[in-house]
Amino acid sequence: MSYPEVTLYSLTTCAYCNAIKKMLATLDIPHQFIDADLLEGAERQELIEQLRVINPQCSFPTTRIGEKTVIGFKVQEIKEAIGIRTEVDDLHDLLKKINEPKGYFFNRDNERTFDLLRGLMTNKDRYGYMACPCRLASGERRSDEDIICPCIYREPDVKEFGSCFCALYVSADWNSGRIAPKEVPERRPASDAHSGSSED
């Protein structure tokens, strides 16, 4: 498969830059990166002038993908610009198809949505089930039934606040801005949150 040309403007000290480098390497995407902080004098000035054309703020990371520029740590936007799909994209499409007819929509913040979906996948690999990525799972399915996504608290949370505790699932009104985002309190009893420990 052919990919567009990918150039990452980065700093060696930038955690977000390093995370994008790792992602591109893991996905085996041909790319080049330029660490601005390792350049000096005329080379650095030339890079800054080049960067300013595509990102006037000259901030890092900046990823150039073909003719598209992605500024900041936006993993999903970078993936979509390159034209690649991973397992999390399949999960997104499946859950969207299941939940939208029920009135539950993914957060309009695409990057946050995919971060949370990756958290669900991590918990699936870790525990064998998709425990809520915003809560501490015990590792025992019986103890965690209430927080297997979608958790039992989603319905009352979305009904009252327009979003679930993680803000993965929201109402149409929340996404449109007709409902102002608010902090959703934890409904899970503290005793349940710490059950299933090694002391049991």
Side-chain angles (χ1 to χ4, degrees):
M1 181 176 178
S2 61
Y3 298 108
E5 184 176 341
V6 179
T7 302
L8 171 64
Y9 297 86
S10 58
L11 302 173
T12 61
T13 54
C14 170
Y16 294 135
C17 299
N18 292 330
I20 293 174
K21 289 177 187 176
K22 182 178 179 180
M23 178 194 75
L24 293 171
T26 300
L27 295 176
D28 201 24
I29 303 299
H31 65 283
Q32 61 175 335
F33 60 85
I34 307 169
D35 290 324
D37 55 328
L38 297 184
L39 301 178
E40 297 179 352
E43 276 190 316
R44 178 179 290 197
Q45 187 57 39
E46 182 180 348
L47 172 67
I48 295 301
E49 291 174 3
Q50 182 182 353
L51 180 57
R52 187 172 285 119
V53 173
I54 59 173
N55 176 8
Q57 290 187 317
C58 294
S59 57
F60 302 91
T62 295
T63 310
R64 184 71 170 174
I65 305 156
E67 296 301 311
K68 181 178 176 63
T69 301
V70 178
I71 299 170
F73 184 61
K74 298 176 182 175
V75 171
Q76 194 60 27
E77 190 173 339
I78 291 170
K79 283 174 50 190
E80 290 173 0
I82 294 172
I84 57 173
R85 287 180 60 87
T86 59
E87 190 178 352
V88 71
D89 297 286
D90 295 334
L91 177 63
H92 173 274
D93 293 350
L94 174 64
L95 295 181
K96 181 177 181 180
K97 183 178 180 180
I98 292 171
N99 288 285
E100 281 197 356
K102 300 176 183 178
Y104 299 106
F105 300 86
F106 282 136
N107 191 316
R108 63 179 178 263
D109 183 339
N110 207 38
E111 293 296 327
R112 174 166 184 157
T113 291
F114 275 88
D115 280 344
L116 290 167
L117 290 175
R118 280 186 279 271
L120 286 176
M121 292 176 62
T122 296
N123 282 344
K124 177 72 179 297
D125 290 340
R126 185 176 290 161
Y127 305 120
Y129 50 91
M130 291 195 295
C132 173
C134 303
R135 294 179 168 104
L136 178 63
S138 69
E140 295 182 9
R141 187 182 185 98
R142 176 182 55 81
S143 300
D144 292 335
E145 287 287 348
D146 61 322
I147 60 166
I148 295 176
C149 190
C151 70
I152 66 170
Y153 311 106
R154 180 182 72 169
E155 182 177 352
D157 283 348
V158 173
K159 184 176 181 180
E160 184 174 352
F161 298 99
S163 75
C164 71
F165 183 69
C166 292
L168 173 62
Y169 290 108
V170 302
S171 67
D173 285 343
W174 192 99
N175 259 345
S176 68
R178 287 191 290 270
I179 294 178
K182 296 180 181 178
E183 182 177 351
V184 178
E186 174 62 276
R187 294 181 189 268
R188 192 183 199 207
S191 57
D192 291 346
H194 300 290
S195 64
S197 67
S198 59
E199 296 177 356
D200 290 350

